Every structure is written in structure tokens, then in C-alpha cells.
Amino acid sequence: MVRNSLGRSIPESFNGQRLTPYQDPFSYSPQGTHASRALRRFNPGQSKLLGSLREAIEAADLRDGMCIATHHHLRNGDALLGAVVRELDALGLRDITIASSSIHPVHAELIPYIQKGVISGFECGVNGQIGELASKGELNCPIVVRTHGGRARSIISGQVQVDAAFIAAPTCDCYGNMNGSQGPSACGSLGYAHTDALYAKKVIAVTDNLVPYPATPISIPQTLVDFVVPVESLGDPGKIVSTTTRITRDPVGLQIAKYAAQVIEASGLLQDGFSFQTGSGGISLAVADQVRRKMQQQKIKGSFGCGGITGYFVDMLEEGLFQTLFDVQCFDLNAVESIAKNAGHLEISADMYANPFNAGAVVNQLDCVILGATEVDVNFNVNVNTESNGLLLHNTGGHSDTAAGAKLSIITAPSIRGRLPIVRDELTTVTTPGETIDVIITERGIAVNDQHRELKNELLRRKLPVKEIQQLQEEIYSVTGRPRPLEFTDEVVALIEYRDGTIIDAVRKIKT
Amino acid sequence: MVRNSLGRSIPESFNGQRLTPYQDPFSYSPQGTHASRALRRFNPGQSKLLGSLREAIEAADLRDGMCIATHHHLRNGDALLGAVVRELDALGLRDITIASSSIHPVHAELIPYIQKGVISGFECGVNGQIGELASKGELNCPIVVRTHGGRARSIISGQVQVDAAFIAAPTCDCYGNMNGSQGPSACGSLGYAHTDALYAKKVIAVTDNLVPYPATPISIPQTLVDFVVPVESLGDPGKIVSTTTRITRDPVGLQIAKYAAQVIEASGLLQDGFSFQTGSGGISLAVADQVRRKMQQQKIKGSFGCGGITGYFVDMLEEGLFQTLFDVQCFDLNAVESIAKNAGHLEISADMYANPFNAGAVVNQLDCVILGATEVDVNFNVNVNTESNGLLLHNTGGHSDTAAGAKLSIITAPSIRGRLPIVRDELTTVTTPGETIDVIITERGIAVNDQHRELKNELLRRKLPVKEIQQLQEEIYSVTGRPRPLEFTDEVVALIEYRDGTIIDAVRKIKT
């Protein structure tokens, strides 16, 4: 065990790999080169069509101990990962690593296959029951949680080698050109799959909407795809995209959103060329709504919105408040419809979105991001992975990436959730380093990181409820009481990898 | 010296590299892996803007003996390559290899720098005076001529390592997102530059139209670009794109075009889903015109047109005769305007267009291509590189790529040009193997390769003037006389590399 610069206890190795403890957000530089894969030759007349996932597994020559990937653009409606794993099991394959872009609650269906030894590890974060069981020590299955940018980096750098990427293709032709904007499983952007298409040893497009050549628009081109497998269905359309995403109606959330918009205005960033990201949560959307009104009133022409895209951002694009949307994932139907028809709504890869080890990701150009938290500490470090009960329930997503990239990264969160205080003496898990967080906003007040002294003074001048974070914590504790520390065993069940590949924290088995 | 399978005499090595003689069009398979380059890290706030090409050369750490590339999307209007070479010279650099996508007549301005030792080789074909002087032995500067697909392959496979790619960007932002559809040097597709952006050790965007972030649409993204250099002008807009491309008015050409359209109809390929490529020459456009009328009359809905795109193909797209245009280069203003606005008009890389060593290029899906020739022989082999005076004057372009890919590859050429016969006993140079050529059409008759026996019978049934190629040759010789063989020295001045990297011919110094 060693302690990283945030004082978190990190094992020296995990799952056979030596680890580098996190040091700081920006100085760790890559030494190596881009990963490579074999050159291929496809002659005219050669078909890529296969009859089933089983044929694809065989054609890709998958063996025990190999690594596969799928992608979460079908979100909780995804049926592909489960179907692939069932076929792997049927073929008797064991010890497979899953390096998907994310695991959703629907994938609790994998649990029997973990117990059976078909799956022996996750090179990706897990939302839901798998993480819960891992935290309780009930699964023998190491997990490495990565940010969106960190996942792209891990593949591009060769840290994670995907033997076969199974890409859910809502529309695809016989030669592998694919997009996500049409078909019964339309999901919009395929942003998380691009990097796998470039680096996986074998690339398999799986589609429930095979169309005549060429399928256009082309998100991922034929030149990267080895096999095409038509299937009956990729998943449950009702769970692939939300029909709508809604602003919070909770007065606490609305108060937080109002403060957030006021902080953005005070920052001076809200002017022509403004760029912005929010999530799809109710408070985030409420902030977006406030910002939108201010932009309309002040006739501000923004530059771009990015990240997972909602109908809210689509409206802002159509109103001319943004010139461009950079879309790595569509969150709702409006976004899916927009990406199919609006030339200003661009699909981008997770690499372009957030990878720290390329020639510059979109997050580096971001003015302001609104982020959530399950816990923060007085050094502005943030936890989004574990709940305060110690269970690993959430992925990092683009949290650490956008926090590092944006000029102004704002955490919005209610001061108390489920009777638990948001500001803690010590975090259950550190996801995102405080050095990259500028402001924490609760309904009880606004804490500004010391590096933003000018902003703090401006907020005070505008009579916003600025508080020292310690003061905020004391006020919250006076309501909730000081929480009792959780107890953990020494057993590490998951790593939280920072976007640059260093280890910012380890998740341990809880004492039960 | 060894003889390849076409009987051409190939040196065992050239410019220090061991050579593999050409064997056949489809069986040579790649052994290696994709080339790689160092991972990079760009943090927020880091600027890519530089003040001049000289600063870019220094920032890219270019040294004696290194390799640079530019791209011919600015065609004969390009001022960038000349400007870069002048700066290399001013900095005292010597022994630089040029691996551009093509050299145009405008680049005759490089000749003094070849003589001076700044430039010591071309890993690319050369159009115009440089090839002429090389053929005469007046330049000490080895040349390797490649197809469009072969150039992409050479970079992706690591055969050619570009130390710095200077990409002319008609529109670019400060972070390197670029496109060719806007700005004073608008040229449409940047298709030849994509591969360099992915593989060159340093990528420098040079622009005369720096716009606010983000420049959209994005042809080449920020993630691949190290530096951005604003300059006064990229070239002469009047020579970058033609204002128009025109159908031939020559009766011989029109007769050939009529035959070609009849052959296409007879082939059975002219039905829904038809895909097609022609060049921008007068006969090619006349064939396109004939095919267009037939498609209109028969209400055929084609699939795609590809290659260098003209206004003629744009009209066909807009009329619904094609669903898609795959555009690696825009030949005229109409094409430039179309690619900027029509979602069915897609920019593709030379890799996607024609590389034999990926998971399948667009040419593999092509039904019919119309190609030219300076000479053909009775085995249907074609020369497009040298003239019958022995001078290396032309690049291969996509000739061998499309011939290999298309189901029906048709050579159209007048039987006699400048008193010289098109069908020869022996070619001055072999560019494209006869095995990949299906039909040769002159105004005196149509020769069909033996592998297309059914087509030959169908043409006879339709009373088209089918002739054995030997018969055609005799008829032409009876007018022109049998040409005297040219005399060459043993000195190899250039290689003609087949698309797979094997050597299909060598160009020797002429005896003067």
C-alpha cells in the first residue's frame, strides 16, 4: 500500500498490474505510443455477413482469457452484452474480461456468468447491482472504473487491449458502415464505440436494421469493421432513450440552480462564445434553463454545448444560443432526432470529447460544466462512485474529464440527501480531485475554491451566500450530526482510475 | 534485376529499400501492424497557434533527412508546398523527402531545391516537369509513384513515415478543427490528408481562414493537430478548383462515350443500386452524361458515385440517380458547393476510398469505373504514367485501385493520339495490370478481356463492334505504322508501385 497525493491508500498492484498513484491533474505525461493492430486485406466480393453472434465469436477467434467490449449508447435498453455473454458461455469460454464503456443496471443479468467464471473482470465502471455485490465481497471479479476520456486513453495507449468489440449498430449495411440515428433501436451518437472500432483486434457490427449499401450518415466506416451480424433486436427501445428529460420541480433544486446561474454570470464567462455542459439530471437542466434565459435576454451567442446531449441543449442550438453541439451520447428522443438532421449537431468520439492524451479534447475548450456529487470534502474533492453506505453504485462518466478541462467547474448538490451531509470530513471514495473543482453550490450556500479568489470577491459583491466550505460543513452537521465513519476491510474490490491512468482511489469491501 | 509476373524488369532495391516484385492483384497480404506514433498530452489553456511556417518547422523539430507531406486538394493552385520548402532551405535543412499525395505542375518551383539538395526524393508521383527532368536523368532524386490507395497503405503500414504533415486548411480554428468547404481557398474534400493527420509524427494545419472555435463541419479534428499556422494565402483560388468541367465535343470522344454507355447497359449492372466512377476528362463526362440519360429513362436509382467528384455527379445526386457521393476530392466549384450543403455528399479519406489493406475500401463496392490510358497492350495492361516518348509525366491516381475494385473497369481512349497508336506491343510503363481491366473501348471497336466471355457474347448479340484486341491493334498499326521501340538506359529514376506495395514497373532514364 502507498498513499497518493490526496492521502488515499492505493495498492501497489491490482489484478496483476502495477499501479501508479495519482499525483496531480495535469503533469503525468504518456511515455508510449499508440496501440496498433494487424493490417488486414479485404478483396472485392469478400462478404462480412455472418449468421449469428456465435459465428462472430468463432470468426473473431475468441479464446479463454480474452477481452471483449460493448458500448452503452443503448443505455439500460441494451440487450447485446447479455446476448454475447450467453454465447460465450454456450461455447464454453471462461475468464473473459469485459471492457465495455459502461455497465448499466440491466446488466445485472451478467451476475450468474461472473459466478460461473465466464466473466472474470471489468475494465470499466459498473452502475448498479454488480458494484453492490462487489462491494460486499460477493463477487470475485476485479473492477477498474474509468472516466469517459480515460477509457479512450486506456484503449489508445494499449493499456486495455480489446480482442473483440461488439458494436450495437442501430443502422448498418453489409459492409459495416453504421450510424445510430435510424432504425428501431435508434440512439443517436455512437460516440463511445469509435475508439474500439479503431483499436480492437476484431470489430463486429451487430444490427437490427440492415440497409442497402451504403448506410449513411456514416458514424463508423466500413474500413474498420470485420464482420456484420444481423440480429432480431438490439434491445428495448423504450429503455434506449428517454422520451423526455425534465427540469427539477423540487424547490431546493431550483434554489441551487438559481445560485449556479448567478455564479456563471458573475464569472464573466457568460458572453459571446460561451461553451457549456450539464448532465441530464433535474438540477442540471434547471441550471441550463436559467442560463438559457440569461443568454436570450442578453442576446449572447454561445459557442458549443457538449457531453451527453438533451433536448434542452437541442433547443438552445436551434435558438442560436449554441453554434455547435458536440455529442458523445444522446440522452433523449429530441437529441436523437436532432443529430439525424441538424448539421450543427456533431457526433464525436469519447477520445475527442475527453481523452487527456491526444492533441486536445473538447473538454479543454469548455467554459463551464455543471456536475453532481454524492459527497464532497473540505478540499473540494468529489465522490460520485460510491454512496455513503460504501457501495460502488455509479460510474464516473465525464465527471473528472470535464472538471479538469472546464474553466469553471461547478458542483451542484443538496446539502443533505437521505439525512446524510454532502460535505464530509473524509470521502468514501475520491473520484475527482478538488484542484479541478471551482465552486460547490448547495441550497445553504456557495463555497469557492481558493484558486478562484476573484470570483469569490465578485460573488460577495453580488451578495450571493458565499461561505467557507468548513462553515458550510458545520451548518450541515448541525442538522445531520457528524456521520460515523464507515468500516472497510483491506480487500480492494475496485480501482478508481483517474483520467490519466494513475490511481486516485481504491474501493474496499465493506465490513458487514 | 528480376522480372515480375508481367515480365517487367525490376531492380532488387531502390534508394536503399529492398523491393517485392508484383505478382498478381489480390493475393499479396500484409504481415505487419498499423504504424504508431507517440501519445501526446495537451492540457487546457495550451495554445497551438504559431506565427509562421518557420516556427512550425522548428516546433516540429524537423532535421536533415526527414520526410514531409502536403496534399493536392489545392491542385495546381497550391502555394503551400513551395512555401514550406523555401523555409526548409532558409533554415539550412537538406536531404528532405517529399511524401505529398501528388505533385502538380505548379511545383516545378521545387526544381532548384532538388538541385540544391534540400529535396532528395519523392515518395509520391509527380505530374509535369519534375518527372520529365527525372526521365532525362537531370535530377538526382528517386521517385516512388503510388496509387491513391497505395499512398494511404504506405503511411498506415509504416512503409512511409511522415515526420511532419503540413495540411492546407481552407477553414480552421485555433485548436486545429478544419474543413475545406469554406474560405477563400475552399476546395471541398480534404480526403488525401486524413491519413497523414492520423499517422504523421507532427501535424501542422496551415490556414488562410482562421475562424472562431469550433470550425464546422469538421473534416479533420483537433485531436490530431499539433500546431495551427495562419498565413496570408494558401494559393491561387482560380487554380484550386475549375469553375466547370465539360463534356467532350470531339466526335471521336463522343463515339467512344456512346459505346461505353452501351457496354455498361449490356453488362447488366445498370439497375437499382448501380455505383459508378468516372474521371473529370471530357470523354469520362460524356460517358456520365449517357449513363445519366439511361438512368433517367429507365428510372434507375443508383447507389453511389465516388472518386474525384464533378458537378456532373452532383447533378446526378440531386436528381436522385445516386443516393450518396463518396468524395475524396472535389474537381469543380459545383462539387465544392455541394459537399458543403448536401448530407448525401460525403467526404472520405483516400484510405476509405481505395486502400487494399483495411477492412474494405469503397472501390471494392464499385460496379463500374471509366478510366483513361496513354497506352494499352494486348494483355489489357495499361500505362497512365509515362508518355510514349518515355517521359514520366503523370500520377497513377486511383487508376489501379478502381480497376481492381470495380466489377467492370472500362478503358476509354482514342485509338490514335498524336499519331501514336493506343494499343502497343510493349508498354512504355505498366501502371495497372490487365487482369483488372475488363473492356477497352476506342472509336474503332471494343475489346473485351477473356475473363468476361458472357459480356463479350452480349455485346456481339447487341451488334456492338467487338474486336479481338490483336485485331484492333493491327487496324490501328495499319494507319500509324508500328512504332519504333524507345531506348532507355539501365538507370532507374522512378518506381511504379502497385497498390499493395509490390513493384509493377520501373521507369528508366531515356537515351538521348
Side-chain angles (χ1 to χ4, degrees), chain A residues 25-30 32-45 48 156-157 174-175 177 212-214 216 218 221-226 303-304 323-324 326 346 351-352 356-362 364-365 404-405 499-500, chain B residues 25-30 32-45 48 156-157 174-175 177 212-214 216 218 221-226 303-304 323-324 326 346 351-352 356-362 364-365 404-405 499-500:
Chain A
F26 297 115
S27 70
Y28 186 68
S29 277
T33 58
H34 284 239
S36 184
R37 64 177 172 195
L39 293 163
R40 290 166 283 186
R41 170 158 210 163
F42 276 70
N43 282 327
K48 299 184 182 184
I156 291 172
S157 68
C174 62
Y175 221 43
N177 295 299
Y213 182 92
T216 59
I218 298 176
Q222 62 187 50
T223 50
L224 305 177
V225 177
D226 295 278
S303 166
F304 68 91
Q323 181 212 319
T324 303
F326 286 124
L346 303 184
D351 170 38
M352 178 155 169
F357 288 0
N358 60 27
V362 166
N364 288 0
Q365 294 288 336
R499 59 199 300 253
D500 62 6
Chain B
F26 298 115
S27 70
Y28 186 69
S29 277
T33 57
H34 284 239
S36 185
R37 66 177 170 194
L39 294 163
R40 290 168 281 185
R41 168 156 212 165
F42 276 69
N43 281 326
K48 298 183 181 184
I156 291 171
S157 68
C174 62
Y175 222 42
N177 295 298
Y213 183 91
T216 60
I218 297 176
Q222 61 187 52
T223 51
L224 306 176
V225 177
D226 295 278
S303 166
F304 69 90
Q323 180 211 319
T324 302
F326 286 125
L346 303 185
D351 169 40
M352 178 155 170
F357 289 0
N358 60 29
V362 165
N364 287 0
Q365 294 288 334
R499 59 199 298 256
D500 62 6

Side-chain angles (χ1 to χ4, degrees), chain B residues 183-382:
Chain B
S185 302
C187 62
S189 176
L190 304 181
Y192 297 114
H194 290 217
T195 303
D196 303 58
L198 284 162
Y199 289 90
K201 289 193 185 136
K202 294 289 173 187
V203 177
I204 299 139
V206 186
T207 189
D208 54 5
N209 189 35
L210 191 70
V211 299
Y213 183 91
T216 60
I218 297 176
S219 293
I220 293 175
Q222 61 187 52
T223 51
L224 306 176
V225 177
D226 295 278
F227 307 111
V228 177
V229 181
V231 294
E232 197 61 36
S233 167
L234 286 171
D236 179 349
K239 296 175 182 164
I240 290 172
V241 288
S242 320
T243 47
T244 182
T245 37
R246 281 224 184 81
I247 294 174
T248 185
R249 293 180 183 180
D250 169 42
V252 167
L254 289 171
Q255 180 60 62
I256 294 169
K258 198 171 168 194
Y259 286 154
Q262 288 171 316
V263 169
I264 293 170
E265 194 165 28
S267 74
L269 293 168
L270 197 60
Q271 52 180 323
D272 283 350
F274 180 63
S275 55
F276 193 35
Q277 174 171 337
T278 70
S280 60
I283 297 180
S284 282
L285 292 179
V287 182
D289 185 56
Q290 295 271 341
V291 167
R292 177 188 183 182
R293 284 165 205 268
K294 288 181 192 290
M295 290 177 81
Q296 286 167 339
Q297 283 157 11
Q298 298 168 43
K299 299 197 194 312
I300 290 166
K301 286 197 182 304
S303 166
F304 69 90
C306 70
I309 297 297
T310 61
Y312 231 87
F313 269 39
V314 169
D315 290 344
M316 292 175 75
L317 176 70
E318 290 175 357
E319 290 164 8
L321 302 179
F322 293 131
Q323 180 211 319
T324 302
L325 296 181
F326 286 125
D327 188 340
V328 73
Q329 182 188 13
C330 295
F331 277 138
D332 60 25
L333 264 182
N334 290 345
V336 175
E337 283 164 14
S338 167
I339 202 170
K341 70 180 183 201
N342 193 325
H345 188 154
L346 303 185
E347 176 168 338
I348 61 168
S349 66
D351 169 40
M352 178 155 170
Y353 172 48
N355 175 12
F357 289 0
N358 60 29
V362 165
V363 296
N364 287 0
Q365 294 288 334
L366 190 58
D367 283 335
C368 177
V369 64
I370 306 296
L371 296 166
T374 58
E375 304 170 335
V376 301
D377 71 16
V378 295
N379 296 313
F380 289 71
N381 297 309
V382 181

Side-chain angles (χ1 to χ4, degrees), chain A residues 247 257 260-261 264 276-279 281-295 310 312-313 316 321-322 370:
Chain A
I247 294 174
I264 294 169
F276 192 36
Q277 174 172 336
T278 71
I283 296 181
S284 282
L285 293 177
V287 181
D289 184 56
Q290 294 271 341
V291 167
R292 177 187 185 183
R293 285 166 205 266
K294 286 181 193 289
M295 290 178 82
T310 61
Y312 231 88
F313 269 38
M316 291 175 76
L321 302 179
F322 293 131
I370 305 296

Side-chain angles (χ1 to χ4, degrees), chain A residues 263-341:
Chain A
V263 168
I264 294 169
E265 194 165 29
S267 75
L269 292 168
L270 196 61
Q271 50 181 324
D272 283 351
F274 180 63
S275 56
F276 192 36
Q277 174 172 336
T278 71
S280 61
I283 296 181
S284 282
L285 293 177
V287 181
D289 184 56
Q290 294 271 341
V291 167
R292 177 187 185 183
R293 285 166 205 266
K294 286 181 193 289
M295 290 178 82
Q296 285 167 339
Q297 283 158 10
Q298 299 169 40
K299 300 196 191 313
I300 290 166
K301 287 198 180 304
S303 166
F304 68 91
C306 70
I309 298 295
T310 61
Y312 231 88
F313 269 38
V314 170
D315 290 344
M316 291 175 76
L317 176 69
E318 291 175 357
E319 290 164 6
L321 302 179
F322 293 131
Q323 181 212 319
T324 303
L325 295 181
F326 286 124
D327 188 341
V328 73
Q329 182 189 14
C330 295
F331 277 138
D332 60 25
L333 265 181
N334 289 345
V336 175
E337 284 164 14
S338 166
I339 202 170
K341 70 178 184 202

